[in-house]
Amino acid sequence: MADSQATTAAKGDHIRSDEYVVRTKDLKKHYKMGDETIEALKGVTLDIFRGEYISLMGPSGSGKSTLFNMIGGLDKPTEGTVFIDEVDMAQLDAYELAWLRCRKIGYIFQTFNLIPVMTALENITLPMVFAGMDYDSMMARGRELLETVGLGHRLHNKPGELSGGQQQRVAIARALANSPSIILADEPTGNLDLKTGKEIIELLRRLNKESGVTVISATHDLKMVDVSDRIIWIRDGLIDRIQSRSEMEEDMGEGHGH
């Protein structure tokens, strides 16, 4: 049954089902700095549907990155829970958490985080090695993913031989390696020029529509608004407001891009 659902989901048609892929419940995160306690998150409850394209926005220090790291299993909440595909991450041991992160979540970073001594193909297939895929399947999938992101001709180039935009395309292909439920993109256009950033945003949206993968991006980039289903504004460790794309476009029209 799950397989047939997955096949339907993989066919895309930009599914936005009523199924939750991420749920957070009353998330709090406190950090100690000397004698002071910093409350980075003050109780965030958020439901994200499978197949959505979500942008987390907010000023530096708003708690946006902290929330992003909680959803990705990169940090643990002080209080509250994060569910990924209905699994409570707090209940997992280190091995189970590593498995979930490997299979369910693809990560894209502002600085690309590619391994310099490895070719594009080797960088992409690395998560498949951890997932235990056989060599021939890995090579076939790696080539297919490079074609998908428009770099089929750059299989054997190392990151230093690629432009910033090409490196980010390799990073996107790597994030898709194990057919994750979620792609988490942390400022994916932060190190790119305007034109290249726009291409990367459009590529993420196309992949979101075609494969049904949920994209959650922490970003300052207002170009993300054009492709997001919902924009979640974080301020002072709380959700300030949630807007649909049409609401956001109206606001920007009235305020001429506030």
Side-chain angles (χ1 to χ4, degrees):
M1 176 67 185
D3 284 350
S4 66
Q5 284 175 346
T7 311
T8 312
K11 286 179 183 161
D13 299 335
H14 187 44
I15 50 162
R16 226 203 103 199
S17 67
D18 295 332
E19 194 179 358
Y20 297 125
V21 69
V22 175
R23 289 165 59 220
T24 75
K25 196 165 168 48
D26 204 26
L27 273 194
K28 295 180 183 171
K29 182 65 181 182
H30 303 159
Y31 294 101
K32 279 263 187 250
M33 289 187 76
D35 296 337
E36 205 182 341
T37 300
I38 309 290
E39 293 183 39
L41 291 180
K42 299 174 181 172
V44 171
T45 297
L46 177 63
D47 293 330
I48 295 173
F49 294 103
R50 189 174 302 286
E52 272 197 293
Y53 194 123
I54 294 285
S55 287
L56 298 176
M57 292 189 131
S60 295
S62 61
K64 169 182 84 206
S65 298
T66 307
L67 175 59
F68 181 89
N69 289 339
M70 300 287 152
I71 292 171
L74 301 169
D75 199 356
K76 287 196 155 129
T78 307
E79 284 179 42
T81 43
V82 179
F83 296 91
I84 301 285
D85 276 344
E86 301 300 336
V87 174
D88 179 353
M89 301 234 281
Q91 303 304 316
L92 305 180
D93 62 26
Y95 175 83
E96 290 166 329
L97 184 60
W99 186 93
L100 180 132
R101 284 176 51 190
C102 177
R103 304 294 179 108
K104 295 279 189 184
I105 303 170
Y107 300 88
I108 301 168
F109 302 95
Q110 179 175 344
T111 49
F112 319 136
N113 282 18
L114 300 174
I115 296 173
V117 296
M118 289 184 155
T119 64
L121 186 58
E122 287 165 343
N123 266 286
I124 288 167
T125 52
L126 195 57
M128 303 179 208
V129 175
F130 295 133
M133 198 183 283
D134 69 84
Y135 180 80
D136 289 345
S137 303
M138 285 195 311
M139 290 300 116
R141 173 109 180 113
R143 286 168 191 275
E144 179 195 332
L145 285 169
L146 273 169
E147 290 285 349
T148 301
V149 299
L151 288 179
H153 59 304
R154 293 297 198 129
L155 296 174
H156 304 300
N157 288 100
K158 291 180 178 166
E161 300 165 329
L162 300 171
S163 69
Q166 288 171 331
Q167 288 184 57
Q168 194 59 298
R169 285 171 183 271
V170 173
I172 290 169
R174 180 186 58 188
L176 289 163
N178 292 330
S179 305
S181 303
I182 303 161
I183 284 184
L184 284 177
D186 191 7
E187 297 286 359
T189 60
N191 280 353
L192 303 172
D193 62 69
L194 267 167
K195 178 176 175 293
T196 311
K198 195 162 186 302
E199 286 169 7
I200 291 300
I201 290 168
E202 283 164 2
L203 173 61
L204 281 171
R205 179 57 163 176
R206 176 167 68 79
L207 295 169
N208 159 253
K209 282 182 168 172
E210 286 174 3
S211 69
V213 68
T214 306
V215 176
I216 303 170
S217 180
T219 184
H220 283 97
D221 191 341
L222 282 170
K223 291 192 300 303
M224 283 282 187
V225 171
D226 299 338
V227 297
S228 303
D229 293 313
R230 289 190 296 161
I231 299 96
I232 295 162
W233 295 89
I234 311 291
R235 185 180 293 278
D236 296 328
L238 291 163
I239 292 176
D240 185 38
R241 64 193 189 282
I242 298 177
Q243 291 178 297
S244 67
R245 182 164 62 239
S246 54
E247 289 169 340
M248 180 74 182
E249 282 165 354
E250 270 174 38
D251 275 11
M252 287 177 78
E254 286 166 18
H256 305 294
H258 71 155

